[in-house]
Amino acid sequence: MSNVRFDALKTAWAHKPQEVAKVQRASVIFSQNVFTREKMKEYIASNIVEELFDLMDNEKTLSRDIANSVAIGMKKWAMEQGATHYTHWFQPLTGGTAEKHDAFFDFSDNGTPLEKFSGSVLYQQEPDASSFPNGGIRNTFEARGYSAWDPSSPAFVIGDRLCIPTIFVAYTGEALDYKTPLLRSIMAVGKAATAVANYFDKNVKRVYTYLGTEQEFFLVDESLYNARPDLMMTGRTLMGHYSSKNQQLDDHYLGIIPERVLAFMTELEQEALKLGIPIKTRHNEVAPNQFELAPIYEEANLGSDHNQLLMSLMEQVAHHHQFRVLFHEKPFGGVNGSGKHCNWSLGTNTGVNLLAPGKNPYHNLQFVTFLVNVLMAVHRHNGLLKASIASATNAHRLGGHEAPPAIISVFLGTQINEALDQIEHADVDKGIIINAKKEMKLGVGNIPEILLDNTDRNRTSPFAFTGNRFEFRAVGSSANCGGAVLALNAAVAEQLNAFREEVDTLIANGEAKERALFAVIKRCLKECRDIRFDGNGYSEEWQQEAVKRGLDTEKSVPLMIDQYLKESTISMFGNTGVLNRAELESRCEVKWENYSLKLQIESRVFGDLVINHVLPAAKRYQSLLLEKVAHVKQVFDAEEAKSLNEQDCLLIRRIEGHASAIIAGVDKMTKLRVTANHIENQRERALAFHDTIVPIMEDIRKHVDELEMWIDDQLWTLPKYRELLFVH
Ligand code: ADP
Ligand code: MG
């Protein structure tokens, strides 16, 4: 009898590192497949290019005339790269990206075949979008969805198609994607931050949001992956006894990258560079077969697009190397999960990073101003920020068992904390003394030199200050980072606006600017003290402490999503123009629905696996044991047979115990699922899946994993953890 697992293992062991075609220098191939500004200058008439650059730089609206001229140049360039098709490339709420390819091919008026690409299709399209999730927006408003070009993200060619980054909105303008509100949030925070930066420098005309994503992922051999229906269908293992060796030796992190993986990464980097994705860092992560890639940070919109593009590229390139990429936040129990750290900062058109401490005191006052405003925003909206990263898959990484608690707090490091404490308690009239490395006596308005060397790292913090930026670590590896970044941007925008109003009021009442800034900073520091936490975020004490501090400690994803509909959230998103009430309501519907569907699929796949793979293996082994017991009885006298069969009889009973618990469990799970499926209300349904299906799946899994331990390895048909995690 053949065993799927052994066949898969044989194939996996035969996989060898792929030859990688000649590696080209990054500087040579960078942006080769992107319609960059240089190429625009070459392919588009000069007067049009100037107008185009002006609207790109100043967030102006594109006119159809310009679109026509741009389209001609873009088509010429794309065809020279071998493109035969074009597609709008957008980011629906399903996650991932969507494309619908159309050929340039067309007929002229007199019937001659030709290649055509007009401004109108560059400018706007109406994808057949009725099956994208919209949370009711397109039912209640209008059935149509539009995609429209986002000129701030350049077009690129992949294979035979020209991809045009677009937003995706309903006929009535409501956002149906991640990009639209992300762009709005970038504008909102840019505007609010510019006004505050102007207290320090009148030359600041624009503030940009920067984003650098660290993408974690697992690689699994393709043949083993194909022998695990749970990985194929849900992206994670729904069962599997933990491997005896996993990450306890810490021997994988930053270890030598296995040859076959390196070949994959090399090809991937080359392809990413050609698409203008500035890949910089690659390394082994903590868990076996877990890795990380990070590009150099970029403006947030581009950084977010590039992360989406990188993810699809990774899946594609992995195939060439007989690997599958797992983006799931927790593909394996017992080892680390994967995140997508979103490194976030604000920088001015004058080249100043507003979150970097500097050498001169005036600069540092600006730094503290922005730092404190971020703290305030995160404090006020900590529940929302958690909701922004909440999903059925990330739940296993945050708040699930063997995961850090789902509580948003900010790590600042000892030095910054001390400086902030001293500022908080300083007497504005007397001036302040701050003990940094050496004691410095400074007058009002002077913040000491805060050393850039903030090497103090805390890996347990979901939101950490890392010297010149914040690292939002709670974001899940499979997420569209737009979701988290837009919430952060909007919250910071709201806070900066409030801060400015307060300072302006003081100034209007005759206070000097610096004293006004100081006074408001001090007040804010008191108000948001509770969000600062440098201790062990994984500890039991922190969970209790966080409750005392009034931070959001909700563990259930469907309930976390409620945060989007709190009045303070609705007014924050509304006032900053990022999302209106209808959009928020629809997003929640989509999130709840998505949660239920993921759980529904998991529970079905799990039921199948258990019935079709696990129980048959258990029964087969049990029969073998029973046969042996019977034979022993035939050969030996009763007394001796009893002793010879003792262990096996125990094992037979043990298997029976687990098997019957599994059968009863699956039975119950199926009934609970049917009940949940019948609930109409999306929120209620998600809650039912969370409250009933999650725990029963965990219960059943325990028995399945036990069985895996007891059953003859030769009979087990599903690749085991040690194989999935260590074959490469
Ligand atoms: P670490 O593992 O130490 O966090 P990595 O090198 O893996 O660092 O990734 C850090 C990420 O942060 C990179 O994408 C990097 O470009 C980005 N980054 C660095 N400075 C900034 C900044 N000022 N704003 C946003 N992102 C930044
Ligand atoms: Mg890193």
Side-chain angles (χ1 to χ4, degrees):
M1 192 180 53
S2 94
N3 177 323
V4 186
R5 172 169 150 242
F6 288 111
D7 292 347
L9 273 168
K10 244 186 250 158
T11 319
W13 284 321
H15 286 146
K16 295 275 172 289
Q18 294 276 305
E19 284 278 335
V20 180
K22 188 174 171 295
V23 175
Q24 292 178 276
R25 273 219 312 274
S27 56
V28 173
I29 55 172
F30 187 66
S31 282
Q32 190 171 291
N33 299 344
V34 184
F35 197 46
T36 57
R37 287 194 179 210
E38 287 68 46
K39 285 170 202 148
M40 289 180 188
K41 280 190 206 153
E42 200 182 321
Y43 285 82
I44 302 170
S46 58
N47 57 327
I48 302 286
V49 157
E50 268 163 40
E51 239 181 288
L52 181 64
F53 287 178
D54 177 51
L55 70 89
M56 285 158 81
D57 292 337
N58 299 302
E59 291 167 343
K60 292 183 191 160
T61 322
L62 179 78
S63 75
R64 283 182 193 258
D65 284 350
I66 297 190
N68 269 324
S69 310
V70 175
I72 295 169
M74 200 185 271
K75 183 191 75 178
K76 182 161 186 284
W77 169 78
M79 283 175 54
E80 284 173 15
Q81 312 309 306
T84 52
H85 290 65
Y86 62 90
T87 177
H88 278 196
W89 182 82
F90 56 99
Q91 302 171 25
L93 297 174
T94 31
T97 52
E99 310 180 1
K100 175 187 159 235
H101 302 181
D102 281 304
F104 288 131
F105 172 71
D106 210 336
F107 291 109
S108 71
D109 292 342
N110 62 16
T112 325
L114 47 75
E115 269 77 31
K116 199 170 139 190
F117 180 59
S118 66
S120 60
V121 292
L122 164 65
Y123 189 84
Q124 186 175 306
Q125 272 199 315
E126 194 180 330
D128 179 14
S130 48
S131 26
F132 288 107
N134 57 76
I137 275 198
R138 272 181 292 112
N139 302 336
T140 40
F141 293 83
E142 220 333 302
R144 276 175 290 174
Y146 286 113
S147 55
W149 184 33
D150 161 26
S152 67
S153 185
F156 52 90
V157 168
I158 298 186
D160 65 355
R161 62 201 190 275
L162 166 70
C163 298
I164 301 150
T166 57
I167 58 167
F168 182 44
V169 294
Y171 174 67
T172 39
E174 278 85 6
L176 298 174
D177 66 350
Y178 286 105
K179 192 194 247 292
T180 308
L182 176 63
L183 286 169
R184 292 176 188 155
S185 79
I186 289 169
M187 277 173 70
V189 76
K191 212 165 143 227
T194 303
V196 172
N198 283 153
Y199 286 132
F200 306 92
D201 181 359
K202 286 282 173 217
N203 293 320
V204 173
K205 298 281 177 269
R206 257 186 95 169
V207 171
Y208 302 95
T209 313
Y210 291 108
L211 174 64
T213 51
E214 298 167 57
Q215 178 71 52
E216 295 179 338
F217 58 97
F218 281 82
L219 284 176
V220 171
D221 181 274
E222 182 175 74
S223 56
L224 298 178
Y225 172 96
N226 289 338
R228 287 285 308 219
D230 47 355
L231 276 183
M232 287 179 77
M233 301 291 143
T234 72
R236 76 173 178 110
T237 55
L238 299 173
M239 45 174 278
H241 196 280
Y242 295 177
S243 171
S244 318
K245 173 181 190 285
N246 43 53
Q247 62 187 41
Q248 57 284 61
L249 295 176
D250 280 332
D251 53 355
H252 192 255
Y253 186 59
L254 304 189
I256 292 172
I257 301 177
E259 213 182 330
R260 202 171 136 208
V261 177
L262 193 59
F264 155 75
M265 287 204 184
T266 308
E267 185 185 337
L268 175 69
E269 281 173 343
Q270 293 269 300
E271 293 309 312
L273 288 165
K274 288 181 197 162
L275 286 167
I277 306 171
I279 287 287
K280 169 97 173 159
T281 307
R282 61 183 189 203
H283 60 77
N284 286 8
E285 258 305 325
V286 172
N289 272 357
Q290 191 190 28
F291 306 91
E292 180 188 298
L293 281 176
I296 297 171
Y297 69 97
E298 302 173 278
E299 276 183 49
N301 177 35
L302 200 55
S304 173
D305 279 4
H306 278 164
N307 177 252
Q308 287 295 305
L309 191 52
L310 182 68
M311 287 169 78
S312 36
L313 202 58
M314 285 166 79
E315 285 179 332
Q316 206 181 314
V317 175
H319 275 294
H320 302 174
H321 299 263
Q322 284 87 37
F323 279 128
R324 291 301 175 122
V325 186
L326 306 182
F327 286 119
H328 195 289
E329 284 78 0
K330 192 82 180 173
F332 304 100
V335 296
N336 276 18
S338 302
K340 172 157 27 212
H341 298 178
C342 288
N343 292 268
W344 175 94
S345 68
L346 297 170
T348 66
N349 62 312
T350 55
V352 174
N353 177 349
L354 294 168
L355 291 171
K359 292 235 183 274
N360 89 46
Y362 205 61
H363 182 148
N364 274 330
L365 181 58
Q366 172 171 289
F367 161 66
V368 170
T369 300
F370 279 91
L371 189 76
V372 167
N373 274 291
V374 175
L375 290 177
M376 283 288 283
V378 177
H379 181 242
R380 182 162 154 81
H381 294 289
N382 70 87
L384 172 69
L385 288 172
K386 191 168 75 180
S388 80
I389 55 101
S391 67
T393 53
N394 206 15
H396 296 276
R397 188 172 148 257
L398 294 158
H401 70 268
E402 61 151 314
I407 300 164
I408 300 291
S409 61
V410 182
F411 168 87
L412 289 176
T414 322
Q415 227 176 45
I416 303 272
N417 267 320
E418 279 175 7
L420 292 187
D421 286 346
Q422 290 172 54
I423 292 166
E424 184 183 332
H425 299 111
D427 180 342
V428 177
D429 293 321
K430 286 199 189 128
I432 57 167
I433 295 170
I434 296 197
N435 298 309
K437 276 263 152 96
K438 53 183 188 289
E439 191 170 288
M440 283 180 271
K441 191 164 174 28
L442 297 156
V444 172
N446 288 339
I447 308 284
E449 179 176 322
I450 294 169
L451 298 173
L452 264 166
D453 178 30
N454 185 45
T455 46
D456 214 355
R457 291 299 193 95
N458 179 332
R459 294 198 147 260
T460 67
S461 177
F463 199 95
F465 182 70
T466 49
N468 63 354
R469 62 188 186 270
F470 279 97
E471 204 173 315
F472 196 176
R473 299 214 184 101
V475 184
S477 48
S478 71
N480 182 314
C481 43
V485 174
L486 74 90
L488 177 60
N489 281 348
V492 173
E494 177 198 52
Q495 169 56 33
L496 285 167
N497 288 335
F499 179 87
R500 187 168 54 95
E501 260 178 46
E502 209 176 324
V503 172
D504 282 353
T505 308
L506 290 179
I507 294 174
N509 291 336
E511 193 69 276
K513 183 173 77 183
E514 282 178 21
R515 287 175 60 100
L517 284 165
F518 239 117
V520 181
I521 287 172
K522 275 167 63 91
R523 193 195 58 68
C524 288
L525 280 171
K526 273 195 190 64
E527 190 180 325
C528 67
R529 169 153 280 287
D530 282 338
I531 199 70
R532 286 157 58 187
F533 177 67
D534 274 17
N536 178 5
Y538 292 8
S539 69
E540 190 57 43
E541 300 82 70
W542 170 231
Q543 301 203 44
Q544 289 153 17
E545 167 71 15
V547 174
K548 274 192 224 140
R549 292 189 185 191
L551 299 178
D552 187 297
T553 55
E554 183 54 61
K555 288 194 174 96
S556 150
V557 168
L559 292 178
M560 288 181 201
I561 294 167
D562 286 346
Q563 290 286 329
Y564 277 99
L565 297 178
K566 262 173 55 176
E567 279 313 313
S568 58
T569 308
I570 293 174
S571 77
M572 183 275 281
F573 276 127
N575 293 337
T576 51
V578 174
L579 287 165
N580 63 31
R581 189 184 287 264
E583 288 171 322
L584 287 169
E585 281 167 357
S586 82
R587 252 148 237 263
C588 287
E589 291 291 301
V590 173
K591 279 174 191 288
W592 283 314
E593 183 179 19
N594 203 284
Y595 183 89
S596 302
L597 291 176
K598 288 257 162 80
L599 261 297
Q600 185 194 58
I601 294 169
E602 282 197 351
S603 138
R604 283 180 179 160
V605 171
F606 189 46
D608 289 354
L609 267 186
V610 167
I611 305 292
N612 300 325
H613 290 254
V614 177
L615 290 177
K619 293 291 162 191
R620 221 174 286 143
Y621 188 43
Q622 221 179 14
S623 307
L624 281 178
L625 292 170
L626 284 164
E627 263 173 52
K628 179 251 166 189
V629 167
H631 284 153
V632 167
K633 278 189 188 155
Q634 284 165 7
V635 176
F636 297 92
D637 64 53
E639 193 65 16
E640 203 173 356
K642 194 172 170 226
S643 119
L644 282 172
N645 279 334
E646 199 181 335
Q647 291 300 323
D648 292 323
C649 289
L650 257 177
L651 192 47
I652 291 166
R653 286 211 180 85
R654 199 192 288 269
I655 292 173
E656 193 53 42
H658 290 303
S660 20
I662 289 171
I663 292 170
V666 171
D667 225 39
K668 194 168 156 208
M669 177 176 76
T670 311
K671 291 203 181 85
L672 289 169
R673 193 171 66 228
V674 171
T675 310
N677 285 341
H678 278 96
I679 302 175
E680 283 286 323
N681 179 294
Q682 293 290 5
R683 180 175 178 276
E684 296 300 316
R685 186 192 301 171
L687 279 171
F689 271 103
H690 174 270
D691 298 346
T692 66
I693 301 295
V694 172
I696 193 150
M697 280 180 67
E698 281 175 10
D699 278 352
I700 302 171
R701 177 180 175 153
K702 281 186 203 123
H703 293 287
V704 172
D705 291 354
E706 275 291 307
L707 275 184
E708 186 184 319
M709 276 289 283
W710 293 110
I711 287 172
D712 182 357
D713 187 62
Q714 297 292 313
L715 296 177
W716 199 256
T717 55
L718 296 159
K720 295 185 169 180
Y721 265 31
R722 61 166 186 267
E723 294 148 0
L724 294 166
L725 284 169
F726 288 95
V727 175
H728 46 236

